Structure formats: C-alpha cells, structure tokens
Amino acid sequence: MERIIVLALVFTSFGLLMWKMINLLKGKDSCSGCGSYKECVKKMSIGKSCYGKDK
Amino acid sequence: MGKKKVAIALSGNPNSGKSTIFNNLTGAHQHVGNYPGVTVEKKEGKLNFQGYEINVVDLPGTYSLSAYSDDEIVARDFIIKEKLDVIVHIVDSSNLERNLYLTTQLMELEVPLVLAMNMSDMAEKKGQDMDYTKLAELLGVAIVPTVGNKNKGTKELLETIVKVYKGKIKTKGVRIDYGPELRDEMNKLDKVVKRDISLVGRYPLRWLIVKMLENDSLVLDILSKSSVAQEAIAQNEKSRQHIKLHFGDIPETIIADRRYGFISGACMETLKLSIEQRHDLSDRIDKVILNRILGIPIFALVMYAIFKFTFTFSEPIVGWFEKFFEWMGGIAAIYIPEGLFQSFVVDGLIGGVGGVLGFFPLVLFMFFAIAFFEDSGYMARAAFVMDKLMSKFGLHGKSFLPMMISTNGCVVPGLMATRTLESKKDRLITMMVTPFMICGAKLPIFALFIGAFFPAKQGANIMFLMYVLSVIIAFGSAWILKKFVLKGETSHFVMELPPYRIPTIKGLLLKMWERGWMYLKKAGTIIVLISIIIWAGFTFPQISPGEGASEETTTFIQMEQSYAGRIGKFVEPVVKPIGMDWRGGVALITGVVAKEVVVSTFGTMYSLGEVDVEDAGSLQEALQKDKFWNPLKALAFLMFCLIYLPCFVAIAVFYRESGSQLKWTLFLIFWTTVMAWGVSFIVYQGGRLLGFGV
C-alpha cells in the first residue's frame, strides 16, 4: 500500500512537471515573476523588470 | 501649379533667440494676432524656399509644455491640433541642459523635430565642444547650429526643414525610459486609455499617459469626457499613489528627474566641457563615479560590497534555516514509520526542497543590496561606465541592462529585456551572453559549495571572483561572436543618468520581496516536483542488499544502480576529466530543469546516503565529510555551473525571443556546454598540475 501511494505521488509529480514544462514551451507560464509570457513581454517590451505582479 | 505649402512652428525657451530666428526666416512677411480665446500674441510669417511656401508660426516662449500657464497651453495645443509638418525648436546652446528639457517634451508629442542650436558661438566661447551629429542620433531629431543675431545657419536650417518635410532626414524622437516602476504604471494606464479609439486618434498615447501621471489638469479634463473616464481616472489615482509610496515623492518630480537624467546622459555623451564647471551635487559625485580611470574600479568595488554585505549578514540566518530543515527532517523521521514513505518525505521533500529554501535569506540579502544601488541611481551610472568597455567587446551599451537583470534575479526577464536592442545582431549577441550571469537560481549552488569548501571569511571574495569570471566569459564570448559569427556595427543611444536619490526603505523592501517571492514560488512548484522525481530516480528500482552487506554499502549500491545512478554512470566518462563523479553528472543534468535543482539533487543524494537520519547534519556538512570533494573539484564544479547551458525555461524563452530559430537555440546549448566543459577542464587539470587538490 505504501509503495502504491508513493508511486502515485511520484507519477503525479511527473505529470504536473510535464504539464508545467509544456506550458512553459507554449509560452503560457514562462516567467515565475508574472506567470505569463504575454504579460512578461508587455512589461519587458521597453525595459527592465518583470518581477512585479500587479500591485 | 501652386507652390507646396509647409507648415512649421518655432518653439523655444524665453530668451533662446527665437524671435531673431523668426525674423531671419520671414523678414518683413509677418503679422501679429492673438491665439483664439487667450491674450497670447500669435506671430505668423511666410517665406519661399526651394519652391516651397513655408508658413512659420512663432509659438510663445516656454520652459516646458505643462498646463501651468496660458503660454504653455497655447503652445502645446497648437502643436497637437495643427498637425504641423515640422517643429523647429530653438535651443540656447550655451544653456543646453535647461533648454533640452523642452526638447524632451516635444519628443513626447511625436512630431518631426528640428533643433536649431542657437547661440552656438557663445557656447564655443564658453568652452563647449558639441558633437551635433551624435546628439542628433541620440535624440532621433535633426540638428542645425545657428547664430541668430549674425544670421548664420539660417539657410542650413531651411534646407534641413525641407529635407525633414520631404522625409530625406528621418526624425523619430527617441522615447525616454522612465524606469521600471513608472513603466509598469504606464503600461497599466496604456491598457485602459487605448480602449477609447477616438482619444488615441487625437493625441499621442504615450504623451497622454505621461501627462496623466503628471496630474495635468487639462489632460485629466479631456480624459473625463472619454468613454474610459471612470476607469482611467481610478487607475491614474492608483498609479500615482503607488509611485508616491515607492519613491516618497510625487510623480511630477520623478518624471522631471528622469527627463533631466536623460538630458544629462545625452550631454555627457556629446558635450565636452573645458571651461564651464558643473557645481551641483549629482555632477560632483558623477565626476568621481564616471571618471574614465576610476569608474570601473568603483563599479567593481560596489559589486564586491554587494557580495560582502550578502555573505556577512545572511550567514547566521542561513545557518538557522539549515538547522530548521535538519530539525524538520528529524521530526519527520521520528513520527513517520521507517520505510519508503519516510524516505519520500525526509530525503525527497525535506532534503531536496530544504536544501534550496535554506538559502532563501541569502537571496533576499542580495536582492536588497542590489535594489539599494538601483534605486540610488548608481546602477544607471554603472551602465554608463561599462558602456565604453562593453563596446570594445562588441556589446551594445543597452546590453548592460539585460545582464544586470539576470544578475539581479533571473535570466528569463534578462533575455526579454534584450527587446530594447534595435539591431537583431546586437540582440542575439546579448541573448547569447546573458545566461552567463550569476542569476538568483545559481546563488544557492555557489553559496553551498563556497560555504562547504572555502573559509567563511573568503565567501564574498570567491563569490566576487565568480562574478568577475562571469563578466569576463560573457565579454569574451561577445567579442568572439561579434568578430566571427554576428559581424556588424554597434549603434549609439542615450544612457539616462537620473539624479542620485536616497532609496526609501519601503521601496527597497518591496523590490526585495518581489524578487524573493519569485524564488519561493519556484521552490514551491518546480523544485518540489523535480525533487520528488529525483528522489524516485535514486530510489528505484530497489536493489536487494547482499548478505552481510553493511547499511552503508547497501545505500551506496542502491544509489549507484538506481535509474538516476545509471544515467550518472553513463555520463561519468564525460565529467570525470573535470573532476566530477557520476553524482556531479546527475546534478548537472537535473540542474537544466532549474539551477536550484543542482542543490536539491545533492540534498536528496546526501540525505539518502545518511545511514542514521536523526544524526544527519546540514548539506554543507555532508559535502565536507565526503572524501571525494576538495576545494579544487568544488571550484571546477562551480565553473561548470556558472557557464553551462541555462535552465529549461531560459532556453524556451531564448528560442522564442530569437524568432523561433532552432539553429541559434542549438548554438546556445552547444556554445555554453562546450565552454563550460573547457573552462572547468582547464581549472581542474591546471589546478592538479600546480599541485592543488591532489
């Protein structure tokens, strides 16, 4: 039972990581600062920092 | 066929010699009236030149284009509403910085602009030597030197006006960068205002937004009649409030500061002073900081101070964090029955993620120190100082910004910031070298290995050495790329020099937290997931211990024969010449997901390797105890981590930002990996030859 739970957790993590990676590749979630590639591009289009979420 | 008509207006500060130029241009063909609705005198005239009928309006003399006086309102309304062909801005060359303030505002109105640098003889007498061509290039306007009272330069001025009208001289009015905080707020306003199409059609959008932030009563009045009135005014209030809180000053002052910063930068690039002395405090500080000989050593000193501050003050707190995670591991080991799940929690989650989170205070201290120098106005100077050096290596002055952003936090926004570079080649070179910078994610790797293998007092020195090496590698790579791969000329630009400010504590803490939050968020998502997978990689397939084998031997065999261990063994021949064993190989591979994962991989490996979980020490202690490691191997490993390919996210962003060109992305991967291996090889084998680490 313990083995099944652990393996389930491992495969779930793997699935989530892959999902995250695919999102990154699609450009949906490229920057951990603003969480969206499009937002990031807007913020970065002329400048400096993209860390700011909307404050 | 009638003559072609050209409508121009003369603008300028009072006493800039505007009326004299107006008289020189129009002679007797002028008449005086009033602007409608106000008692401001309107002088108009006309002349014929090269087959064109040029109608000239002499606008009232103003220092700026705000809404404080009738003169200013009349001047700017005339410029916006009349859709003039050319604006001629008369500048008193002998009082350049004050006069250029109006230029910056005219640039914002996005009109074709010709600068008549009047009284140029007076300026020369004062010892000024101006590079007009460069200034024109930097401001994106046309420039003609004139001496109004001697009627010199009038013909050249007219020729330039006609050329600008005909489009033979392109004027594009460079945009002033108001800094990240204002830019963020401007983007928010931009989103709201541009929804009213009629508004955007009538006024230059950026000008409207800047004026909103400046609380310009007339612009706010225009806005209140628009279809986005309520939302725009509410957002403007919020944005102004945010700027006030961040800078401790009203937006009008900050905007004016930035404009003067832009002017100061432009003058610094183009004006040589031999007699005139500057006396204000910023200028006096700049004399030292921007000094040709002292500038770079001062920058190096500042970077050293940042590392010294970070390491000295974060050390005890990092120690507490490490102890906390050790304690957590111990508690979990007590309360969770021994077995697979205990190992999952203790070795996988706490060992992996705890290793990364342990360095959170160090990252915060680093971000705080960098934010201090950014907000004080020093980093803009550093860019100015480095500009000259960087151009020698084929890097554009604007490349400093992306490289600094990467050092301040993350390579991803650094890569995106290369969008400020107009030339595609300059941009690609900058994108290629930006990943060499020490980003926030690499910090824990350096902190871990420096802490484990070098004396505590040397921490900041080694870190500084790493920083210097990263810069040397970046510059060297840029030089090679510019020389052999991406050949071409580097263009010029204005480097803003905002006045010095004392940063507000609130502003610093806010910046520190924003960047620190990024680190935490990553630790809570990608690092957790990858730590679990790495743990599984080392745990499966489970090997049955041989009879009589000690627990230590069993653990070692288990790790070596696990999936991760097999991958490590596969790459071991490649990493062996640079002083690594298979474990280092695994950490470097997993580090491609995110650099912090190098630390979490070691965290998991050493946590799994601990025979008695309750007696486990910190990761640094575990590394110290491991006889495999020595300072030379640690240094070679750090060199590899410094240079080798950026994380997965950065590679994906590089691919996008390079215009989805696979060849450049593959080149980046190849370039960084080969370079990392080569440098580590030299460090390790060279060190061994010199008798270190043997």
Side-chain angles (χ1 to χ4, degrees):
Chain A
M1 186 64 187
E2 186 191 35
R3 197 181 168 87
I4 292 168
I5 293 170
V6 168
L7 282 175
L9 284 169
V10 170
F11 283 113
T12 309
S13 301
F14 185 76
L16 284 172
L17 190 71
M18 286 303 115
W19 175 68
K20 184 106 184 142
M21 294 293 192
I22 290 164
N23 273 349
L24 291 171
L25 278 176
K26 280 184 180 171
K28 283 185 188 166
D29 197 11
S30 65
C31 170
S32 27
C34 32
S36 144
Y37 185 81
K38 278 184 187 165
E39 273 304 300
C40 208
V41 166
K42 272 185 204 165
K43 284 176 183 169
M44 300 308 301
S45 59
I46 47 165
K48 201 173 167 190
S49 165
C50 88
Y51 303 107
K53 296 173 272 87
D54 287 347
K55 291 180 276 289
Chain B
M1 207 171 87
K3 285 180 178 175
K4 278 188 186 168
K5 288 186 179 179
V6 182
I8 70 167
L10 306 186
S11 78
N13 285 189
N15 304 317
S16 59
K18 195 161 55 67
S19 298
T20 318
I21 299 273
F22 179 71
N23 293 335
N24 291 343
L25 288 174
T26 57
H29 308 282
Q30 48 177 273
H31 68 269
V32 179
N34 263 5
Y35 287 95
V38 282
T39 54
V40 177
E41 196 178 76
K42 184 184 185 186
K43 278 162 79 180
E44 284 180 278
K46 64 171 76 169
L47 72 139
N48 294 312
F49 185 76
Q50 290 180 349
Y52 289 90
E53 185 184 305
I54 303 176
N55 293 302
V56 191
V57 174
D58 186 13
L59 295 172
T62 59
Y63 291 107
S64 79
L65 291 177
S66 52
Y68 294 128
S69 71
D70 280 349
D71 285 355
E72 289 176 342
I73 295 166
V74 160
R76 79 179 199 193
D77 280 359
F78 191 82
I79 293 169
I80 293 168
K81 286 177 185 163
E82 295 299 319
K83 305 283 178 206
L84 296 152
D85 295 313
V86 179
I87 301 284
V88 180
H89 176 32
I90 316 296
V91 172
D92 173 1
S93 310
S94 62
N95 200 349
L96 199 58
E97 294 198 18
R98 196 183 68 186
N99 276 251
L100 286 179
Y101 188 74
L102 180 60
T103 315
T104 59
Q105 297 188 43
L106 288 167
M107 280 158 58
E108 253 153 26
L109 284 170
E110 295 168 12
V111 287
L113 199 56
V114 175
L115 257 59
M117 303 297 277
N118 201 27
M119 305 184 199
S120 50
D121 56 339
M122 294 276 286
E124 274 170 34
K125 272 186 196 161
K126 281 175 83 177
Q128 285 183 4
D129 179 10
M130 167 63 75
D131 184 344
Y132 293 114
T133 316
K134 195 168 182 189
L135 185 66
E137 192 189 333
L138 293 176
L139 299 181
V141 300
I143 291 183
V144 183
T146 56
V147 184
N149 56 6
K150 292 179 186 163
N151 201 6
K152 280 187 185 171
T154 310
K155 190 171 165 255
E156 290 80 0
L157 180 61
L158 282 165
E159 282 169 354
T160 308
I161 291 167
V162 170
K163 278 183 190 163
V164 169
Y165 173 73
K166 284 158 82 175
K168 285 187 177 171
I169 299 177
K170 299 272 181 222
T171 62
K172 54 174 181 169
V174 170
R175 280 188 169 187
I176 295 168
D177 181 7
Y178 287 105
E181 286 75 23
L182 266 81
R183 203 182 307 124
D184 276 353
E185 299 311 315
M186 285 164 80
N187 285 341
K188 288 177 199 166
L189 286 170
D190 181 281
K191 254 187 215 166
V192 179
V193 175
K194 72 178 171 202
R195 290 214 302 267
D196 187 333
I197 298 162
S198 66
L199 208 59
V200 181
R202 277 183 292 154
Y203 303 96
L205 182 61
R206 188 174 161 87
W207 175 79
L208 267 182
I209 288 165
V210 173
K211 286 289 153 197
M212 282 168 76
L213 284 175
E214 282 185 313
N215 215 21
D216 185 294
S217 55
L218 291 182
V219 168
L220 292 179
D221 191 44
I222 293 168
L223 218 74
S224 67
K225 292 166 191 154
S226 74
S227 62
V228 291
Q230 219 174 356
E231 208 183 329
I233 288 167
Q235 179 58 55
N236 191 41
E237 271 315 303
K238 264 205 269 178
S239 294
R240 282 179 53 82
Q241 200 55 34
H242 174 78
I243 294 166
K244 260 189 230 173
L245 270 174
H246 188 92
F247 292 100
D249 215 335
I250 53 172
E252 294 90 304
T253 312
I254 309 302
I255 289 171
D257 276 356
R258 299 288 177 180
R259 285 188 187 133
Y260 276 114
F262 177 85
I263 294 165
S264 189
C267 289
M268 196 71 78
E269 292 271 0
T270 53
L271 190 63
K272 284 180 193 157
L273 296 175
S274 57
I275 298 170
E276 189 194 13
Q277 299 294 314
R278 297 154 174 246
H279 291 293
D280 69 68
L281 186 62
S282 272
D283 287 343
R284 269 184 285 172
I285 299 172
D286 278 348
K287 276 203 157 189
V288 182
I289 282 177
L290 302 181
N291 183 282
R292 200 174 290 180
I293 300 159
L294 294 174
I296 291 176
I298 290 173
F299 176 59
L301 205 68
V302 166
M303 289 313 293
Y304 179 75
I306 289 173
F307 292 125
K308 189 79 186 163
F309 168 84
T310 306
F311 272 76
T312 310
F313 291 99
S314 70
E315 200 191 344
I317 308 171
V318 168
W320 298 339
F321 268 60
E322 282 181 339
K323 291 276 172 243
F324 171 74
F325 287 110
E326 279 169 41
W327 171 82
M328 261 181 81
I331 292 286
I334 293 167
Y335 288 102
I336 303 171
E338 201 172 324
L340 209 55
F341 190 68
Q342 187 200 65
S343 176
F344 173 83
V345 175
V346 176
D347 307 320
L349 287 177
I350 301 174
V353 184
V356 175
L357 283 180
F359 293 104
F360 183 54
L362 180 121
V363 173
L364 283 185
F365 273 80
M366 176 93 171
F367 290 158
F368 184 87
I370 291 177
F372 176 84
F373 285 105
E374 267 178 7
D375 284 8
S376 68
Y378 175 74
M379 281 306 174
R381 266 81 185 169
F384 188 89
V385 167
M386 293 300 283
D387 181 30
K388 283 195 178 80
L389 180 72
M390 285 165 79
S391 63
K392 286 184 185 150
F393 289 90
L395 278 166
H396 193 276
K398 282 185 184 174
S399 310
F400 182 81
L401 219 61
M403 290 164 84
M404 208 57 213
I405 291 167
S406 304
T407 312
N408 293 0
C410 180
V411 171
V412 171
L415 287 171
M416 292 195 174
T418 58
R419 286 173 172 237
T420 50
L421 286 125
E422 282 145 25
S423 150
K424 203 178 170 192
K425 283 180 182 173
D426 286 341
R427 193 168 171 218
L428 258 175
I429 293 177
T430 312
M431 282 169 66
M432 286 285 181
V433 302
T434 297
F436 291 134
M437 296 291 103
I438 300 174
C439 63
K442 286 181 192 167
L443 265 184
I445 312 175
F446 289 101
L448 173 68
F449 279 85
I450 290 171
F453 297 106
F454 299 94
K457 280 185 182 171
Q458 296 297 321
N461 299 350
I462 306 281
M463 195 64 216
F464 179 66
L465 178 76
M466 285 291 156
Y467 178 75
V468 173
L469 283 171
S470 71
V471 173
I472 291 173
I473 290 160
F475 281 20
S477 299
W479 185 81
I480 294 169
L481 290 169
K482 189 84 179 178
K483 190 98 180 156
F484 302 106
V485 187
L486 294 156
K487 296 170 196 169
E489 284 295 306
T490 306
S491 54
H492 296 286
F493 77 109
V494 174
M495 193 86 80
E496 286 86 4
L497 292 178
Y500 291 100
R501 287 181 165 273
I502 296 171
T504 61
I505 292 289
K506 192 182 164 76
L508 293 180
L509 292 177
L510 207 70
K511 251 187 187 172
M512 177 185 85
W513 179 247
E514 277 171 2
R515 294 170 190 184
W517 173 241
M518 221 172 118
Y519 186 87
L520 275 187
K521 212 171 141 186
K522 211 168 165 189
T525 52
I526 290 184
I527 311 289
V528 170
L529 298 175
I530 189 80
S531 294
I532 292 171
I533 292 158
I534 289 165
W535 170 83
F538 281 115
T539 309
F540 300 106
Q542 289 198 297
I543 313 292
S544 310
E547 252 182 61
S550 70
E551 205 174 338
E552 208 168 334
T553 315
T554 310
T555 313
F556 188 76
I557 293 170
Q558 164 65 43
M559 280 173 58
E560 248 191 358
Q561 293 186 10
S562 64
Y563 293 124
R566 286 177 210 177
I567 295 170
K569 284 281 173 192
F570 179 72
V571 296
E572 196 174 29
V574 182
V575 294
K576 212 165 185 177
I578 58 170
M580 294 303 102
D581 64 355
W582 66 272
R583 295 172 302 173
V586 174
L588 290 174
I589 293 169
T590 54
V592 178
V593 176
K595 296 289 167 171
E596 300 95 327
V597 177
V598 171
V599 173
S600 67
T601 305
F602 278 115
T604 305
M605 274 192 284
Y606 282 96
S607 184
L608 280 166
E610 289 290 345
V611 175
D612 189 348
V613 180
E614 285 164 59
D615 290 339
S618 71
L619 181 53
Q620 281 191 4
E621 287 164 356
L623 279 166
Q624 280 165 348
K625 277 184 215 162
D626 187 340
K627 289 193 179 101
F628 170 78
W629 290 101
N630 60 43
L632 181 65
K633 284 181 176 173
L635 193 66
F637 184 74
L638 288 184
M639 291 310 301
F640 197 95
C641 290
L642 177 74
I643 309 167
Y644 91 122
L645 67 159
C647 67
F648 176 82
V649 187
I651 294 173
V653 171
F654 180 95
Y655 173 71
R656 271 169 189 277
E657 295 296 307
S658 64
S660 301
Q661 291 193 48
L662 192 63
K663 67 169 181 180
W664 287 117
T665 313
L666 292 174
F667 183 74
L668 173 84
I669 294 170
F670 170 80
W671 180 257
T672 48
T673 310
V674 168
M675 180 102 85
W677 195 90
V679 173
S680 299
F681 181 83
I682 293 167
V683 169
Y684 180 62
Q685 298 297 346
R688 285 188 59 182
L689 283 175
L690 293 171
F692 297 108
V694 182

